Amino acid sequence: TYVVTDNCIKCKYTDCVSVCPVDCFYEGENFLVIHPDECIDCGVCEPECPAEAIKPDTEPGLEKWLSINADYAKVWPNI
Ligand code: SF4
């Protein structure tokens, strides 16, 4: 799965949301997250993010962000 990381905080772009083929982005007040069970790992959103906030969870050190994405995707609205 892909995960949204700290560069997304207060970012106002939603280019990632527009390109996601399975609509698996969820939105909080100042941050977006990706639902890890819905992401199909297509990778399309990563280069679209102007803040370079989206990364594959295969990158080392992203465990914290993966768990943040999973937790908030359950409670925030889908966009
Ligand atoms: Fe959506 Fe693909 Fe990005 Fe996953 S990798 S969030 S499916 S655009």
Side-chain angles (χ1 to χ4, degrees):
T1 187
Y2 278 69
V3 296
V4 183
T5 64
D6 47 352
N7 278 359
C8 174
I9 296 168
K10 296 189 175 168
C11 170
K12 296 297 178 196
Y13 296 98
T14 51
D15 304 44
C16 53
V17 177
S18 311
V19 297
C20 178
V22 294
D23 294 330
C24 63
F25 281 89
Y26 291 74
E27 183 177 36
E29 193 176 338
N30 289 317
F31 192 57
L32 303 178
V33 292
I34 292 169
H35 196 310
D37 298 335
E38 297 177 1
C39 173
I40 57 169
D41 257 340
C42 71
V44 168
C45 58
E46 185 183 12
E48 296 300 322
C49 175
E52 296 185 11
I54 302 177
K55 298 174 181 164
D57 74 340
T58 47
E59 275 190 27
L62 292 180
E63 295 82 4
K64 178 184 87 166
W65 288 103
L66 178 58
S67 113
I68 286 171
N69 279 242
D71 289 347
Y72 284 112
K74 288 180 203 147
V75 293
W76 285 349
N78 184 238
I79 58 163

